[in-house]
């Protein structure tokens, strides 16, 4: 369903999911405010489509004053955001909880949790006032299925799940939708390289697999947004066919 004239704001649009989602939504007829910290990448993204379809807007999700001022900071004609795609987020490290750098925990929480709720709070009043809109947040299967080293990252994504469920409850009676998309193993982005700090280690994560790709996530976003206004998709969990939840771990050395 073409969304001519509607405006979507996509966070973390400099690479990976956000980049693919921004391009996919332009194809759907949206004008897109593409945010991120790397202005040159945002400019390059805008250069891939017709002039005026993507507006690059530099935004650091950990800069709370900038996030809170966002609605008034956008240029005239770009302020009535119809769709917010909360994509910006990151994972850092795979160390056990007692071995991690607390600064990594702080950065994940400030981006994945605080930044997400702050930008939602900044844009939601406009949607409610217009009685129209959609908040779509990228969660993760890590928010449901624990694994060693996921500690705070998994907790931040569990927060996203519960925040969005409660947001949906708050929005009952309003024509504003709320959706979480929770992908599993995904390649084709900077996620693992940022997390592990080493390209060879990041490449090894996907060795022998056919992971989800950013285009798969973008296609799912487009499907959810394109459904009739009376349909709200609460939660989408998606994995590549080469992945499944691992079940419970058991230590068999305790009495060995």
């Amino acid at each position: 369903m073409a969304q001519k004239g509607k405006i979507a704001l996509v966070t973390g649009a400099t690479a990976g999911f956000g980049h693919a989602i921004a391009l996919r939504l332009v194809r759907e007829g949206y004008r897109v405010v593409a945010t991120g910290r790397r202005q040159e990448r945002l400019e390059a993204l805008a250069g891939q489509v017709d002039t005026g379809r993507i507006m690059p807007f530099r935004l650091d999700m950990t800069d709370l004053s900038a996030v809170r001022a966002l609605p008034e900071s956008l240029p005239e004609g770009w302020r009535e955001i119809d769709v917010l795609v909360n994509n910006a987020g990151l994972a850092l490290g795979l160390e056990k909880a007692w071995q991690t750098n607390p600064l990594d925990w702080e950065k994940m929480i400030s981006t994945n949790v605080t930044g997400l709720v702050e930008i939602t709070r900044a844009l939601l009043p406009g949607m409610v006032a217009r009685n129209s809109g959609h908040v779509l947040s990228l969660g993760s299967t890590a928010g449901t299925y624990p694994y060693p080293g996921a500690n705070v990252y998994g907790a931040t994504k569990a927060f996203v799940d519960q925040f969005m469920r409660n947001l949906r409850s708050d929005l009952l009676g309003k024509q504003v939708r709320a959706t979480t998309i929770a992908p599993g193993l995904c390649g084709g982005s900077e996620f693992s390289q940022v997390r592990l700090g080493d390209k060879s280690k990041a490449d090894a994560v996907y060795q022998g697999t056919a992971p989800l790709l950013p285009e798969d996530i973008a296609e799912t976003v487009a499907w959810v947004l394109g459904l009739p206004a009376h349909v709200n998709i609460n939660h989408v969990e998606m994995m590549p066919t080469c992945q499944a939840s691992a079940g419970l771990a058991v230590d068999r050395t305790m009495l060995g």
Side-chain angles (χ1 to χ4, degrees):
M1 183 184 298
Q3 302 294 336
K4 209 165 185 181
K6 288 196 172 185
I7 301 173
L9 188 146
V10 180
T11 67
T14 56
F17 295 176
H19 185 278
I21 291 167
L23 293 176
R24 186 69 175 82
L25 294 187
V26 168
R27 283 173 49 197
E28 292 298 309
Y30 287 90
R31 288 187 295 144
V32 176
V33 180
T35 79
R37 289 177 296 125
R38 293 171 288 185
Q39 183 69 23
E40 71 284 355
R41 290 206 178 188
L42 296 175
E43 299 284 354
L45 171 63
Q48 293 182 245
V49 300
D50 293 341
T51 302
R53 303 305 300 172
I54 291 181
M55 188 190 71
F57 191 89
R58 189 182 183 282
L59 182 68
D60 183 342
M61 295 297 293
T62 65
D63 182 347
L64 297 188
S65 60
V67 172
R68 289 169 181 169
L70 180 62
E72 294 75 33
S73 301
L74 293 170
E76 290 288 345
W78 291 88
R79 293 181 178 177
E80 293 192 351
I81 303 300
D82 299 287
V83 173
L84 168 61
V85 180
N86 281 317
N87 166 71
L90 77 164
L92 294 171
L94 273 172
E95 296 83 8
K96 300 295 178 65
W98 62 91
Q99 298 169 324
T100 56
N101 181 346
L103 294 178
D104 288 346
W105 281 3
E106 182 180 323
K107 189 169 184 179
M108 285 187 280
I109 292 168
S110 64
T111 304
N112 301 358
V113 174
T114 307
L116 182 144
V117 300
E118 287 280 354
I119 197 168
T120 302
R121 176 62 181 83
L123 296 178
L124 198 57
M127 294 183 184
V128 171
R130 295 187 297 273
N131 200 30
S132 175
H134 202 141
V135 179
L136 193 151
S137 295
L138 269 295
S140 170
T141 54
T144 302
Y145 309 107
Y147 59 87
N151 40 71
V152 164
Y153 173 68
T156 65
K157 291 304 184 178
F159 177 94
V160 172
D161 283 347
Q162 194 62 22
F163 174 69
M164 294 298 290
R165 290 188 186 103
N166 282 282
L167 185 61
R168 183 73 198 101
S169 294
D170 286 346
L171 289 168
L172 186 64
K174 306 294 184 184
Q175 293 300 307
V176 180
R177 298 185 285 175
T179 301
T180 305
I181 295 179
L185 183 69
C186 292
S189 74
E190 299 177 335
F191 178 84
S192 288
Q193 190 166 340
V194 169
R195 184 175 205 173
L196 301 174
D198 182 277
K199 187 177 185 305
S200 60
K201 289 180 180 178
D203 290 343
V205 172
Y206 308 104
Q207 188 173 354
T209 73
L212 298 174
L213 296 173
E215 292 75 17
D216 301 320
I217 310 306
E219 185 67 26
T220 306
V221 169
W223 170 71
V224 168
L225 295 179
L227 290 170
H230 70 280
V231 179
N232 189 90
I233 301 299
N234 297 327
H235 182 96
V236 177
E237 179 182 287
M238 52 192 297
M239 295 181 183
T241 52
C242 65
Q243 185 182 33
S245 55
L248 298 176
V250 177
D251 177 14
R252 302 186 185 278
T253 66
M254 294 295 287
L255 299 179

